[in-house]
Amino acid sequence: MTETLSTPAGTRHTPGGRLALLDVLRGTAVLGTLMTNVWVFTAPGAEWGILTGSGGMPGFTSLPGGAETLFRLAADGKFLSMLTILFGVGIAIQFDSAARRGLPWPGTYRGRALFLLAEGTVHFILVFAWDVLMGYAVTALLVAWLLTRSDRARSRVMWWAGGLHLLLMAGLTAALVVLGNEGGGGGGVPREVVDLYAHGGYADQIAFRLENAVALRMEPVLTFGLLLFLFLLGVRLYRAGAFGADAAGRRIRTRMLGWGLGLGVPLTALSVLAAPDGFLLGRYCAAPLVAVGYIGLIGTVVDRVRGEGPFVKGLTSVGRTALSAYVLQNVLCVLVSYGIGLGLAARLGDPGRPWWVMGLWAVVCSVLMAGSALWLRRFSKGPLESVQSRILRGRGRARPREGRPS
């Protein structure tokens, strides 16, 4: 049946059979992660500065401070959790595709995960220390295997992972409280690190990331339980029909909206009141709940959108080129913020914060939305997605086996 302008945007399928809502959600999640990362790129000392506590939220004592705090609270950990859930959805979709075609599982998916690990490693070394792709790749390999297990086994793993993550975050938060009470706060960003990102050479920045790789790669290690939980939650939501175009899918999204925001927003507020000791609970415990609410909210809004205007089309295009868009947005921020490029982080500094940082985010988002839409007019996949496809195709097609993935 031919689509009409009255068809809700989220219920349509793209030519490749992709549900449009998932692409909108992916696009939103990718651009949403930049709402957090843009403050990392523009902070003194960049990634290391955030680790040493120099990038704390300013609070509500002034208009600029309040604007920055609200902007960052809306994003911190929320869109990263959304992206993680959607990655789990993607694995479930590929598993079902392999089952329909009678292909072995994990089969060629191992190649996809290993490509992602390699790409993430290069991204970490050359661009951004807070890369998420490496952690996703390792988690994806485990989840791909878990998809061959029973629903009951996956459910046990999911809830154990979530419970252990909460215990770890509670323990680390208690440790932060004790250290704070004993005056064990950090000493700030070393001047040489600030100068490295503001005026240093590119090779020196790479060397710094490699020398401090253990500390800079600690987040995915400490949050592995959360990654596993959210991946499996994505699988569960997909199989429950949460992204479907029918009435059942809309009901699930409505419940996600109510429960996610109903629980997540108050917990986020409590973490703000407990700042700075509540940082871990806000980013790694409350934020995933808000992410579930965001998925429900975006789905509810998209369900009511008639036709596909430029904004929805831009988000959809970013979602279809998510890997390329994620890497490109970080490259653009490096070139704008660091001394190896325009050096605006040092040149503009505090007097222009937060307005120029928010403006940078808006400009990069606009470039990605317009650029990805133009790219997809000529190509079916993003640049990195095409490289991945060619590499995997070069390894040859997997041979079918008897039976299908269970």
Side-chain angles (χ1 to χ4, degrees):
M1 183 173 63
T2 304
E3 289 182 2
T4 66
L5 291 179
S6 62
T7 305
T11 67
R12 294 196 301 273
H13 287 75
T14 60
R18 302 161 66 102
L19 187 62
L21 175 58
L22 284 176
D23 285 329
V24 173
L25 288 170
R26 287 192 190 97
T28 304
V30 168
L31 299 182
T33 60
L34 186 61
M35 288 182 69
T36 298
N37 292 342
V38 70
W39 302 97
V40 179
F41 289 111
T42 57
E47 303 109 327
W48 195 259
I50 299 298
L51 281 181
T52 56
S54 69
M57 296 184 190
F60 298 95
T61 57
S62 65
L63 177 60
E68 177 180 341
T69 299
L70 287 175
F71 187 92
R72 294 172 63 177
L73 277 178
D76 188 37
K78 285 80 170 177
F79 291 105
L80 180 59
S81 293
M82 183 194 300
L83 192 63
T84 309
I85 292 171
L86 294 172
F87 208 102
V89 173
I91 297 178
I93 291 174
Q94 292 178 68
F95 176 87
D96 289 351
S97 175
R100 287 192 302 270
R101 297 160 61 191
L103 297 176
W105 182 267
T108 59
Y109 185 78
R110 291 193 187 95
R112 289 179 178 272
L114 292 175
F115 174 88
L116 195 69
L117 179 61
E119 199 285 331
T121 302
V122 173
H123 182 238
F124 162 76
I125 295 172
L126 300 183
V127 183
F128 189 41
W130 283 14
D131 165 80
V132 302
L133 302 178
M134 297 169 70
Y136 280 8
V138 174
T139 310
L141 288 170
L142 176 56
V143 171
W145 175 78
L146 286 171
L147 286 178
T148 65
R149 307 296 96 187
S150 67
D151 290 343
R152 184 177 179 182
R154 281 194 302 276
S155 182
R156 285 201 300 266
V157 172
M158 173 180 163
W159 292 112
W160 270 103
L164 291 174
H165 169 74
L166 290 176
L167 287 175
L168 177 60
M169 291 301 106
L172 291 175
T173 298
L176 288 176
V177 172
V178 172
L179 289 174
N181 291 338
E182 294 179 355
V189 193
R191 184 72 235 176
E192 59 269 22
V193 178
V194 176
D195 290 339
L196 172 66
Y197 285 94
H199 312 292
Y202 184 50
D204 293 330
Q205 292 177 12
I206 291 175
F208 180 80
R209 280 194 286 272
L210 291 173
E211 290 168 4
N212 296 278
V214 174
L216 292 170
R217 289 282 76 204
M218 191 56 63
E219 182 180 51
V221 176
L222 293 177
T223 62
F224 181 74
L226 178 61
L227 290 176
L228 184 56
F229 175 84
L230 293 178
F231 268 59
L232 292 173
L233 177 61
V235 173
R236 193 163 183 163
L237 288 171
Y238 171 73
R239 293 187 168 176
F243 306 97
D246 55 4
R250 290 192 290 271
R251 284 195 298 270
I252 293 174
R253 291 192 288 273
T254 300
R255 290 199 293 269
M256 292 171 67
L257 167 60
W259 283 103
L261 296 186
L263 292 175
V265 171
L267 288 176
T268 299
L270 288 175
S271 71
V272 172
L273 294 175
D277 298 328
F279 167 76
L280 294 175
L281 296 180
R283 179 173 171 84
Y284 302 118
C285 299
L289 288 171
V290 178
V292 171
Y294 279 2
I295 292 174
L297 175 62
I298 294 166
T300 300
V301 170
V302 171
D303 284 338
R304 288 163 171 73
V305 172
R306 301 294 171 177
E308 187 179 70
F311 186 72
V312 173
K313 183 177 181 179
L315 289 176
T316 300
S317 299
V318 172
R320 290 179 58 192
T321 59
L323 178 60
S324 299
Y326 169 72
V327 173
L328 179 58
Q329 69 184 18
N330 294 333
V331 171
L332 291 175
C333 285
V334 165
L335 294 177
V336 170
S337 303
Y338 295 172
I340 60 174
L342 299 179
L344 293 189
R347 290 169 57 188
L348 297 180
D350 289 336
R353 281 172 85 95
W355 311 117
W356 81 267
V357 181
M358 295 181 184
L360 172 61
W361 172 77
V363 169
V364 172
C365 288
S366 299
V367 169
L368 291 176
M369 291 171 73
S372 59
L374 290 173
W375 178 273
L376 290 173
R377 288 184 182 180
R378 184 170 181 179
F379 305 99
S380 61
K381 299 177 181 178
L384 288 177
E385 289 82 356
S386 296
V387 171
Q388 179 191 65
S389 180
R390 290 172 184 171
I391 290 175
L392 295 178
R393 191 164 53 240
R395 297 178 63 195
R397 294 183 177 181
R399 295 172 58 185
R401 69 176 182 185
E402 292 184 3
R404 296 181 179 183
S406 59

